[in-house]
Amino acid sequence: MSEQFFKGFVLGISGILVQASVPVSVPALGAQEPLVDVGSDVGTEAGAEAEAGEEEAEDEPPALTGRVTRDDVERAVPEWVQAEIEAEVETADALRLAHVDPGAEVTVFLGTWCSDSKRELTHLWRAFDEAGGLVSFEIDYIGVDRDKEQPEELIEGSGLAYVPTFIVRRDGEEVGRIVEEAPDGIVHDLAALLTGEASGVVSARDDLEPVSPNPEP
């Protein structure tokens, strides 16, 4: 072996040993960046929120809009039927509804998604059943969306702010309205408006201004 070759061999081995002795910095496990699956929301905060939103939407009652009937509402939100069965009404008030002077018109703005609408309407419908299902006034139900903006053509001019709202008219003129919650019960307070014992805004709320009469939408 020549002297020149021997020196080259030694230098090569030394270089390998020097490289092997250089410390290598390896990040601790706790310092690693979290893995993100860019192809799916599963496991991310956004994905969790999306899934929660979907579950919440599935649990929310449907929002029927436009002119509806009692049957329409009961089919869309069957839990209202059970609420009707459980509702307690005064028989005397129910009978008053059946014997008011004819000619009145009642427009009801309701939300099938609204707990206040569910409470007031199911009590009213239970009273109708108690009275034999016949009344001497016309009643029109209008379902609205959660923003109370649709159906625009039926809401316009009504002064609607809260649901449910029951507007009582005679000869095209507004006698009064019940807004959101009837202070003495929907059956009693509606009978009072229909018989002329009450007028104006009737509500458990104390922040409402009088509403000027409007023609029926």
Side-chain angles (χ1 to χ4, degrees), residues 17 21 24 47 59 76 94 98 103-104 126 129-130 146 169 181 198 216:
L17 292 175
S21 64
V24 178
D59 294 337
R126 177 58 185 271
D129 294 343
E130 290 283 336
R146 289 175 172 82
R169 296 184 176 87
E181 180 178 359
E216 185 171 358

Side-chain angles (χ1 to χ4, degrees), residues 4-24:
Q4 183 176 1
F5 177 84
F6 179 77
K7 288 181 179 180
F9 177 80
V10 172
L11 289 174
I13 294 296
S14 299
I16 293 172
L17 292 175
V18 169
Q19 291 178 6
S21 64
V22 175
V24 178

Side-chain angles (χ1 to χ4, degrees), residues 1 8 14 18 44 46 60 64 68 88 109 114 133 139 151 173 180 198:
M1 179 182 296
S14 299
V18 169
T44 66
E60 290 181 349
L64 297 185
V68 297
E88 297 181 0
F109 291 96
C114 169
I139 187 162
E173 296 293 325
E180 194 174 72

Side-chain angles (χ1 to χ4, degrees), residues 14-211:
S14 299
I16 293 172
L17 292 175
V18 169
Q19 291 178 6
S21 64
V22 175
V24 178
S25 175
V26 178
L29 290 177
Q32 290 181 326
E33 292 294 327
L35 298 177
V36 177
D37 182 0
V38 295
S40 172
D41 286 333
V42 177
T44 66
E45 182 177 351
E49 291 178 353
E51 289 182 352
E54 290 174 359
E55 292 178 359
E56 183 178 350
E58 292 176 356
D59 294 337
E60 290 181 349
L64 297 185
T65 59
R67 297 187 187 277
V68 297
T69 66
R70 174 178 174 177
D71 287 341
D72 292 334
V73 174
E74 290 176 341
R75 282 194 297 267
V77 278
E79 58 267 29
W80 283 39
V81 177
Q82 183 60 35
E84 293 166 27
I85 296 172
E86 297 172 355
E88 297 181 0
V89 298
E90 293 291 336
T91 303
D93 287 334
L95 292 176
R96 289 181 68 202
L97 285 178
H99 296 93
V100 299
D101 291 339
E105 301 169 351
V106 179
T107 303
V108 183
F109 291 96
L110 64 98
T112 51
W113 43 268
C114 169
S115 60
D116 291 319
S117 295
K118 177 182 177 182
R119 180 192 61 248
E120 303 293 69
L121 266 300
T122 55
H123 277 77
L124 180 62
W125 290 342
R126 177 58 185 271
F128 287 167
D129 294 343
E130 290 283 336
L134 298 175
V135 293
S136 59
F137 54 90
E138 295 182 11
I139 187 162
D140 189 22
Y141 303 103
I142 299 174
V144 303
D145 66 358
R146 289 175 172 82
D147 295 325
K148 296 179 285 294
E149 296 177 351
Q150 298 295 331
E152 183 179 0
E153 68 277 8
L154 298 179
I155 294 174
E156 186 178 5
S158 67
L160 180 67
Y162 304 97
V163 289
T165 291
F166 300 75
I167 302 177
V168 177
R169 296 184 176 87
R170 282 191 181 276
D171 300 322
E173 296 293 325
E174 180 172 331
V175 174
R177 61 177 60 195
I178 299 170
V179 179
E180 194 174 72
E181 180 178 359
D184 295 312
I186 184 60
V187 182
H188 177 277
D189 289 345
L190 182 59
L193 287 176
L194 287 167
T195 58
E197 296 176 11
S199 61
V201 178
V202 178
S203 177
R205 300 182 64 95
D206 58 4
D207 60 345
L208 299 177
E209 297 293 332
V211 179

